[in-house]
Amino acid sequence: IINDKVGNKILAVTYCPLTGSAIGWNRVISGQETTFGVSGLLYNTNLIPYDRATGSNWSQMLLESVNGQNINKEIQLYRVVETTWATWKEMFPQSKVVSTNTGYSRNYQNFPYGDYRTNNDNILFPVKPEDNRLPKKERVLGIVVNGTSKAYRFSSFAGGTSVVSDNVGGEDIVVVGSKNKNFLAAYKSKSSDNKILEFTAVQNDSVIVMEDNEGNKYNVFGEVVSGNRTGQMLGTTSSFIAYWFAWGAFYHNSTIYQ
């Protein structure tokens, strides 16, 4: 877990290597800034952080507190894009990188679970329910809207950057991604003035990933970087990447985009 401030965002970035899920959320809970730590507990093999203000435990993939003073409080998500370092450097070459000089004696280059990331059948702890529609370790982008969940496969975004317009839980969304560049991201399709926009993918551009029917161009965070709506951002969705076995266990009624 990294507790940080980026601009005016007070955030924690949590990563669970067992479920392959990286999620960013607001560290201000009920008006009080806090930090998060690793409790050492797991639920369905997924990370359970705790907040240091109250000691409440939070389920990373359920996106809410599961016990303590903050029980049932939901996580306010921030936009996180998971990709390769090569792709990130193309998109944001001036980025700062978090230092590994944390003051703790730890090898941050060492993955502690051997071949866990590459051995598709190696799951250290059981999960319930099991969903065998996809390979266990396949990475998917999962979205939850109004209690409805849907998963998107990287294989659906092969052959360059692709855009999918969809409706999940009654919400019009757009999913943009590239299997080759190893990223998937989802946003609401409505503009700030409540218009439903239509999107097409943009190829061979290091910054821009899609364009709407008004001619506005967007980066991977759903931010307009060129056009009449420059500076505006598409609405966030409750979405993140995880291994399929974990997504299927937490959101077992998910449909799978084909």
Side-chain angles (χ1 to χ4, degrees), residues 81-98:
V81 173
E82 179 182 334
T83 187
T84 63
W85 176 234
T87 294
W88 185 264
K89 283 194 297 183
E90 286 183 11
M91 292 179 170
F92 303 99
Q94 303 304 317
S95 292
K96 294 182 178 180
V97 180
V98 175

Side-chain angles (χ1 to χ4, degrees), residues 30-231:
S30 300
Q32 181 181 9
E33 181 179 332
T34 186
T35 58
F36 286 84
V38 177
S39 70
L41 303 172
L42 298 172
Y43 173 64
N44 259 347
T45 205
N46 177 238
L47 171 71
I48 298 287
Y50 70 97
D51 71 74
R52 291 188 172 94
T54 69
S56 301
N57 286 334
W58 300 71
S59 171
Q60 188 212 35
M61 286 186 61
L62 278 181
L63 307 176
E64 65 179 27
S65 176
V66 290
N67 66 28
Q69 182 178 318
N70 286 319
I71 190 167
N72 296 327
K73 286 189 182 294
E74 296 182 355
I75 290 166
Q76 180 191 345
L77 295 182
Y78 284 141
R79 300 165 196 251
V80 170
V81 173
E82 179 182 334
T83 187
T84 63
W85 176 234
T87 294
W88 185 264
K89 283 194 297 183
E90 286 183 11
M91 292 179 170
F92 303 99
Q94 303 304 317
S95 292
K96 294 182 178 180
V97 180
V98 175
S99 172
T100 57
N101 296 322
T102 63
Y104 294 91
S105 179
R106 180 166 181 167
N107 181 5
Y108 290 97
Q109 305 300 319
N110 181 50
F111 183 75
Y113 301 111
D115 66 350
Y116 185 85
R117 290 179 291 189
T118 55
N119 185 337
N120 185 60
D121 294 320
N122 180 17
I123 295 177
L124 299 183
F125 306 101
V127 297
K128 291 184 179 180
E130 292 186 10
D131 191 326
N132 297 315
R133 288 178 291 167
L134 297 178
K136 290 182 175 64
K137 293 286 181 63
E138 181 167 349
R139 293 165 63 241
V140 299
L141 176 74
I143 301 176
V144 184
V145 182
N146 299 324
T148 299
S149 56
K150 194 165 187 175
Y152 297 80
R153 308 175 71 179
F154 277 83
S155 59
S156 299
F157 296 79
T161 304
S162 302
V163 165
V164 168
S165 295
D166 207 349
N167 187 287
V168 180
E171 186 80 61
D172 290 307
I173 64 164
V174 57
V175 183
V176 59
S178 168
K179 181 180 179 181
N180 294 341
K181 291 194 172 183
N182 199 352
F183 74 88
L184 283 176
Y187 302 102
K188 296 177 182 178
S189 296
K190 283 185 179 180
S191 64
S192 58
D193 53 359
N194 224 30
K195 292 182 180 178
I196 298 294
L197 299 170
E198 299 175 2
F199 299 89
T200 56
V202 173
Q203 307 295 337
N204 303 318
D205 192 297
S206 60
V207 176
I208 297 167
V209 296
M210 61 184 180
E211 182 176 357
D212 68 25
N213 55 303
E214 297 179 350
N216 301 293
K217 298 181 178 180
Y218 297 76
N219 67 16
V220 73
F221 285 103
E223 178 187 10
V224 180
V225 294
S226 174
N228 292 333
R229 297 182 182 272
T230 296

Side-chain angles (χ1 to χ4, degrees), residues 14-29:
T14 65
Y15 176 65
C16 180
L18 296 176
T19 53
S21 48
I23 302 174
W25 69 62
N26 193 349
R27 290 196 288 112
V28 178
I29 309 295

